[in-house]
Amino acid sequence: MKKPLLADTSLLFVTFIWGTTFVLVQNAIGLLEPFSFNGVRFLAAALMLLLYLIIFKRSQLKHLNIRMIYSGVFIGFWLFLGYATQTIGLLYTTTSKAGFITGLSVVLVPLFSMLLLKQFPTRNAVIGVLTATIGLFLLTMTDVSSLNIGDGFVFICAIAFALHIIFTGKYSSKYPTLILTVIQISTVAILSILSSFLFEDWRSLVSPEILLSKDVIIALLITSVFATALAFLIQTNFQKYTTATRVALIFAMEPVFAAIAGYYWAAERLSYSALFGCLLIFAGMIFAELPRNKVPFLRKKNESYQG
């Protein structure tokens, strides 16, 4: 399998993990507050990867330097900022609006790629982005009331996630994947734990009654291993083989997988417009993957020029 195709398939698997664990996280943060949950989740993932690094990949430690640490902390900061502002935004806005605004990172990524990296998306990618954005609107926007301060925080979240994708692509090709992932995840863990002490009831972090409850234990085990350690290791490793715009389009599938998981595990129902939105997101992702000469109306246009 070619590396770009393997990369896109692996990133789609990561998106599947994030989408299907959304219900678990929702149940857990009803008991353990969001910053506290993310602090424990990312700390557990960082410790697992660090242990693996020390035992099996110790040779990577010789590459450790201040620039690598800075790069990992920098990537981790944008990831933390995304989670933090999304959490704050959800206090003031609806889940549906937050889902759509967060998904706008699919539009922001190609814009930032042009501004920061001088990378211009293909025509297929642009059409794919527009198609997926319409799909996100149909899937998530059940509430179209006026904007509020929560929507502003969630838009900052979209910017942060977009920049996380951009800078992960930039630095992942320069440094060893495992150690860069450990630094990134450790940064999120430290900042999340500090935020829990500042903004939440930190006693939940040391409460056995909460930490050992069934919902929290299951959510922490699954999200720390699969949705954090494995997911960000895969993203850091494979993003160097694809473009940031394609990554954003693949990640736009997260609410689709979340909706499917909600249907099977939480008995949630989707409207016809939401189902059509799912199809548009999928179509946008596929469209961006197609070579230009495989798109019928673009090929005919080119052939008319040649004639």
Side-chain angles (χ1 to χ4, degrees), residues 179-207:
I179 193 167
L180 187 65
T181 307
V182 170
I183 297 169
Q184 172 189 181
I185 291 177
S186 299
T187 300
V188 180
I190 293 169
L191 293 175
S192 295
I193 291 171
L194 287 175
S195 296
S196 71
F197 278 97
L198 291 173
F199 305 113
E200 296 175 347
D201 183 1
W202 60 268
R203 286 172 293 184
S204 62
L205 274 172
V206 292
S207 170

Side-chain angles (χ1 to χ4, degrees), residues 239-290:
Q239 195 175 317
K240 65 175 73 76
Y241 301 119
T242 189
T243 67
T245 300
R246 285 163 75 174
V247 174
L249 275 167
I250 292 168
F251 286 175
M253 285 290 291
E254 182 179 348
V256 177
F257 290 130
I260 294 171
Y263 175 81
Y264 283 104
W265 295 342
E268 296 177 354
R269 293 294 180 265
L270 292 176
S271 64
Y272 288 115
S273 63
L275 288 170
F276 185 57
C278 290
L279 291 175
L280 286 179
I281 294 171
F282 182 72
M285 183 188 69
I286 296 299
F287 199 92
E289 295 289 329
L290 294 175

Side-chain angles (χ1 to χ4, degrees), residues 99-238:
F100 173 68
I101 297 170
T102 301
L104 288 178
S105 59
V106 75
V107 178
L108 297 173
V109 165
L111 291 177
F112 290 153
S113 292
M114 290 187 291
L115 293 173
L116 300 175
L117 305 179
K118 307 302 179 186
Q119 294 178 356
F120 295 85
T122 64
R123 184 180 298 183
N124 286 7
V126 171
I127 296 173
V129 165
L130 294 176
T131 304
T133 303
I134 296 170
L136 279 166
F137 181 84
L138 293 174
L139 173 60
T140 60
M141 285 295 280
T142 56
D143 177 12
V144 291
S145 59
S146 59
L147 297 176
N148 58 46
I149 189 173
D151 300 321
F153 277 109
V154 179
F155 186 64
I156 295 173
C157 158
I159 294 172
F161 283 154
L163 290 172
H164 176 258
I165 291 173
I166 294 289
F167 291 119
T168 297
K170 178 179 179 180
Y171 293 120
S172 62
S173 60
K174 295 181 178 180
Y175 304 111
T177 296
L178 181 56
I179 193 167
L180 187 65
T181 307
V182 170
I183 297 169
Q184 172 189 181
I185 291 177
S186 299
T187 300
V188 180
I190 293 169
L191 293 175
S192 295
I193 291 171
L194 287 175
S195 296
S196 71
F197 278 97
L198 291 173
F199 305 113
E200 296 175 347
D201 183 1
W202 60 268
R203 286 172 293 184
S204 62
L205 274 172
V206 292
S207 170
E209 188 175 316
I210 294 176
L211 287 175
L212 298 180
S213 64
K214 181 181 176 182
D215 285 343
V216 172
I217 284 290
I218 292 174
L220 284 174
L221 282 174
I222 293 176
T223 58
S224 61
V225 175
F226 297 102
T228 309
L230 180 63
F232 287 107
L233 188 63
I234 290 173
Q235 182 188 357
T236 307
N237 183 59
F238 283 105

Side-chain angles (χ1 to χ4, degrees), residues 65-95:
N65 56 53
I66 191 65
R67 288 188 176 182
M68 184 192 298
I69 294 173
Y70 164 78
S71 300
V73 170
F74 188 64
I75 297 171
F77 167 77
W78 291 113
L79 184 59
F80 163 77
L81 184 64
Y83 279 110
T85 51
Q86 186 180 61
T87 301
I88 296 170
L90 283 169
L91 296 174
Y92 303 100
T93 191
T94 62
T95 303

